Amino acid sequence: MRKSISAVLAFASAGLMSSVALAQTTVTIATVNNGDMVIMQELSKKFEEANPDIKLNWTILEENTLRQRLTTDIATGGGQFDILTIGLFEAPMWGERGWLEPFDNVPADYDLNDVFKSVRDGLSHDGKLYSLPFYAESQMTFYRKDLFDAAGVTMPEQPTWADIGAAAAKVHAPDKGVYGICLRGKPGWGENMGQISPVVNSYGGRWFDMNWQPQLETAAWKEGLTTYVDLLKKFGPPGAASNGYNENLALFADGKCAMWIDATVSAGFLSDPQHSTVVGKVGYALPPYGKFNKGNHYLWSWALSVPVSSKSKEAAQKFIYWATSKDYIKLVAERSGWATVPPGTRTSTYENPEYLKAAPFAALTLKTIETANPHDATQEEVPYVGISYVGIPEFQSIGTTVGQEVAAVIAGSKTVDEALASAQASTLRAMDQAGYIK
């Protein structure tokens, strides 16, 4: 009897030790609620199967909320998360401050040189890489070929905002549940202002002059913002002031928008019959410009980083290598087709005949990514880096405040002049308090 009890105890002890070993490392991931990240969470079960000693814990948040949570957590050293989903705005600044673990010893089989240099450079500071790109994007014009053909409208390969307005007027059919254009109105430095800043650039505008004086009441800002707002007021869907990226993606995928100017990454989602009703009906063109096509489209990457506060750094980096690898891209292709894989990160993807055949938007995506230059995006000289944002910590607050003013214009509670006057005053106050203005 004693022997059997000892054996049972030994077996139980071994089982307990095994379960402890299996659950010994928990990696908490904070990410945005975009479709590609939802797929990453789904496929991550394969990572856990291959790495039974690592347990993944997910926090998936709306874009504005994610940015607020991560900024607060990293600035205070809160340590809530082991993996952060950030981008070209945060990675170099947070890396410079010593808040992120550098990727100093990337495994050879990861093939880091396969990752586009412009994206790697954007996620680096002083030659050190602080984040690996899950996907990268620029902007393009999406339009419904069937609706354009029916209306006798031709989309130029390189449209102007005037072309977009003329086309919107002809394809706008609210009585049929189709709106001429969808654009972001939801306030946020990465929501509506991430789209409006390139429009303003293309009309000759800039956020600040070389003395960090805000330039929000200039003619270029007024012309760019008026163009954007008028399009939404005349041809946009109801409630446009509340629509961000995901809301507009859903509207276009449901066949309710004739045009949409937004992130190139959306093309894959719109090609997936599981999520889109417009598969095979979408045309692609370059993003529009006002007077100048420099700075009229941004470069962005949603990328994965490890904060220095993480207690599971090695396991976190192991997951990041997996989620941003060539093998992960193949895994998505097996799940839902090559057109749906995370785009914009690797040369090998754009040399893959299967991808090029499945993704008619691939060449255009690559062209917009390669021609977006965050170091030269305005007609007049500026003291900052960025196309859709200004690469200073204060811009998160400034951009969101200005975005709220813009949303008020779209909603009809303010005029463009009133909003820009208020935005100029609040931005001047913020820059003065931060010590930029001497």
Side-chain angles (χ1 to χ4, degrees), residues 75-308:
T76 59
Q80 290 183 56
F81 309 108
D82 301 297
I83 294 177
L84 313 177
T85 304
I86 58 175
L88 277 75
F89 175 77
E90 299 94 347
M93 286 193 292
W94 293 3
E96 180 183 10
R97 284 161 178 73
W99 293 349
L100 301 174
E101 286 290 317
F103 286 88
D104 285 336
N105 301 299
V106 179
D109 62 359
Y110 181 81
D111 195 2
L112 186 59
N113 287 331
D114 185 49
V115 178
F116 290 128
K117 187 177 184 298
S118 61
V119 179
R120 278 185 282 141
D121 289 348
L123 297 169
S124 302
H125 174 74
D126 203 18
K128 276 190 178 292
L129 183 63
Y130 288 100
S131 200
L132 290 177
F134 182 65
Y135 68 73
E137 65 187 19
S138 184
Q139 289 165 290
M140 67 168 60
T141 301
F142 302 92
Y143 65 97
R144 286 278 300 280
K145 292 186 294 185
D146 54 335
L147 300 180
F148 270 58
D149 288 346
V153 182
T154 301
M155 173 67 76
E157 182 185 351
Q158 173 58 84
T160 64
W161 280 105
D163 293 328
I164 296 295
K170 291 180 179 176
V171 294
H172 185 55
D175 55 320
K176 298 177 183 175
V178 179
Y179 301 93
I181 193 164
C182 290
L183 298 167
R184 296 194 211 183
K186 186 177 188 177
W189 70 267
E191 280 281 10
N192 59 0
M193 296 318 299
Q195 304 299 307
I196 290 168
S197 292
V199 180
V200 171
N201 293 341
S202 82
Y203 279 96
R206 54 184 174 166
W207 275 89
F208 301 99
D209 68 14
M210 290 301 292
N211 297 313
W212 291 106
Q213 290 284 340
Q215 300 295 296
L216 292 146
E217 288 188 285
T218 58
W221 263 91
K222 183 172 181 178
E223 190 171 7
L225 184 55
T226 298
T227 298
Y228 192 94
V229 169
D230 281 356
L231 279 168
L232 277 178
K233 283 188 170 181
K234 292 176 182 174
F235 311 118
S242 301
N243 290 344
Y245 171 74
N246 279 323
E247 291 82 2
N248 283 321
L249 176 60
L251 283 168
F252 196 94
D254 287 344
K256 294 175 182 173
C257 307
M259 276 187 295
W260 181 35
I261 294 98
D262 212 301
T264 52
V265 71
S266 316
F269 187 94
L270 296 172
S271 300
D272 184 351
Q274 292 185 47
H275 301 288
S276 173
T277 67
V278 295
V279 176
K281 299 177 182 178
V282 183
Y284 315 96
L286 289 164
Y289 70 93
K291 296 176 178 176
F292 313 97
N293 60 13
K294 183 168 78 168
N296 74 315
H297 59 285
Y298 59 65
L299 177 65
W300 180 254
S301 171
W302 278 118
L304 304 175
S305 295
V306 179
V308 295

Side-chain angles (χ1 to χ4, degrees), residues 88 299 372-377 382 384-387 389:
L88 277 75
L299 177 65
N373 185 353
H375 298 274
D376 184 21
V382 295
Y384 57 85
V385 173
I387 302 172
Y389 57 82

